[in-house]
Amino acid sequence: MSAHNEKPMKLKLHVWRQRSPQQPGEMKEYALDNVDAHMSFLEMMDVLNEQLANNGEEPVAFDHDCREGICGMCSMVINGQPHGGHKGVTTCQLHMRHFSDGDDIYVEPWRAKAFPVLRDLVVDRSSLDRIIQAGGYVSVNTGGTPDANALPIPKTEADQAMDAAACIGCGACVAACKNSSAMLFMSAKVSHLGHLPQGQAERYSRVKAMVQQMDAEGFGNCSNLSQCEAACPKEISSKVIAELNRDFLKGSWRGE
């Protein structure tokens, strides 16, 4: 069937509404009958908000920015799965063709103690920023860009650093984990720097500082079930968690 002849879908949306962190929230039901299969999920939410605004109701608050799978802002749990549960996609890259006419779709915010709900589907993820501030950086003088390019780095190390650096900090790993652990996020940041020569000076103190901050923020422990890897839109391997654990133990033995 031609895309131009496809019939718009009718959907029943169940969306979490919460006016503020201090007020209780609840699921609200909305009907949409003009959803194009080629829309992205966020475009569908735009249609919902336009309908709500036209009816004099409050639009649904949700995070978004680039809408290209780069920024990690579009954090939604869709039918119980972060970003909708499709491999390697963020919510903004999820298209309505993955749903069927007449479907019930449940849309909720990330659920974690460290991610308090600000309004509707928007949560405060500044806890991830504070983990980075605790140690996810290089403070030694590494020189300018020509100096960095002159440092010999084995391709396998560079590839592993780049794979870990793909993390966009969306928090899907936290939302997927039954303990709301931030281990995949934190391990990706640690692995990224740990595979580069510039990151060696603070390699072990970095890990200890970031783990301490993660615990202080209220994130849970790693469950070792790899839900985080399955939910990660950048498909970061949970092997980075093993690398973090190794460096944490080495740092503890060395007293750094």
Side-chain angles (χ1 to χ4, degrees):
M1 180 183 293
S2 169
H4 297 290
N5 296 326
E6 289 181 2
K7 181 180 178 182
M9 292 189 293
K10 294 183 179 181
L11 301 172
K12 185 180 291 184
L13 302 179
H14 305 264
V15 183
W16 182 260
R17 303 303 308 265
Q18 184 172 342
R19 292 188 62 84
S20 73
Q22 293 75 33
Q23 294 178 285
E26 61 178 334
M27 299 296 287
K28 290 283 190 178
E29 186 177 303
Y30 304 103
L32 282 183
D33 58 6
N34 58 341
V35 177
D36 191 298
H38 300 294
M39 287 180 177
S40 73
F41 199 89
L42 295 191
E43 288 172 328
M44 181 276 295
M45 293 296 296
D46 291 336
V47 171
L48 170 63
N49 278 345
E50 184 175 353
Q51 176 177 298
L52 292 175
N54 289 338
N55 292 338
E57 300 178 60
E58 272 299 314
V60 177
F62 63 92
D63 272 330
H64 62 94
D65 191 2
C66 73
R67 298 199 178 202
E68 294 179 347
I70 297 171
C71 70
M73 293 291 289
C74 54
S75 51
M76 297 182 192
V77 173
I78 302 164
N79 289 340
Q81 299 290 329
H83 294 303
H86 290 271
K87 190 175 180 64
V89 298
T90 54
T91 298
C92 63
Q93 296 173 304
L94 177 66
H95 287 84
M96 299 313 298
R97 56 179 171 268
H98 292 295
F99 302 91
S100 300
D101 186 35
D103 274 358
D104 282 72
I105 302 176
Y106 292 80
V107 190
E108 302 171 79
W110 287 169
R111 300 289 190 183
K113 178 183 178 181
F115 291 161
V117 175
L118 298 178
R119 186 180 181 93
D120 297 337
L121 304 176
V122 179
V123 301
D124 180 359
R125 288 175 290 179
S126 60
S127 52
L128 298 183
D129 298 328
R130 290 188 289 273
I131 291 176
I132 294 296
Q133 291 165 3
Y137 54 85
V138 174
S139 62
V140 296
N141 186 358
T142 59
T145 301
D147 301 316
N149 290 337
L151 288 171
I153 303 175
K155 185 178 186 304
T156 54
E157 291 292 301
D159 287 346
Q160 290 181 65
M162 288 297 291
D163 288 346
C167 173
I168 56 178
C170 66
C173 51
V174 178
C177 178
K178 66 178 183 179
N179 298 329
S180 298
S181 173
M183 281 289 281
L184 188 68
F185 161 80
M186 186 174 61
S187 299
K189 303 305 180 183
V190 166
S191 181
H192 165 214
L193 298 177
H195 283 283
L196 298 176
Q198 297 93 336
Q200 300 310 306
E202 301 153 312
R203 180 168 184 164
Y204 301 112
S205 60
R206 171 187 301 117
V207 174
K208 293 179 68 176
M210 293 176 74
V211 168
Q212 289 173 359
Q213 187 63 41
M214 180 186 71
D215 292 341
E217 295 292 343
F219 290 102
N221 296 320
C222 179
S223 63
N224 295 315
L225 296 179
S226 296
Q227 298 105 320
C228 53
E229 180 181 324
C232 178
K234 297 305 174 182
E235 302 183 61
I236 294 173
S237 171
S238 57
K239 72 179 182 182
V240 296
I241 298 177
E243 293 180 10
L244 180 143
N245 287 334
R246 178 196 62 204
D247 282 2
F248 183 82
L249 287 174
K250 283 186 177 180
S252 300
W253 293 335
R254 293 157 62 112
E256 295 186 16

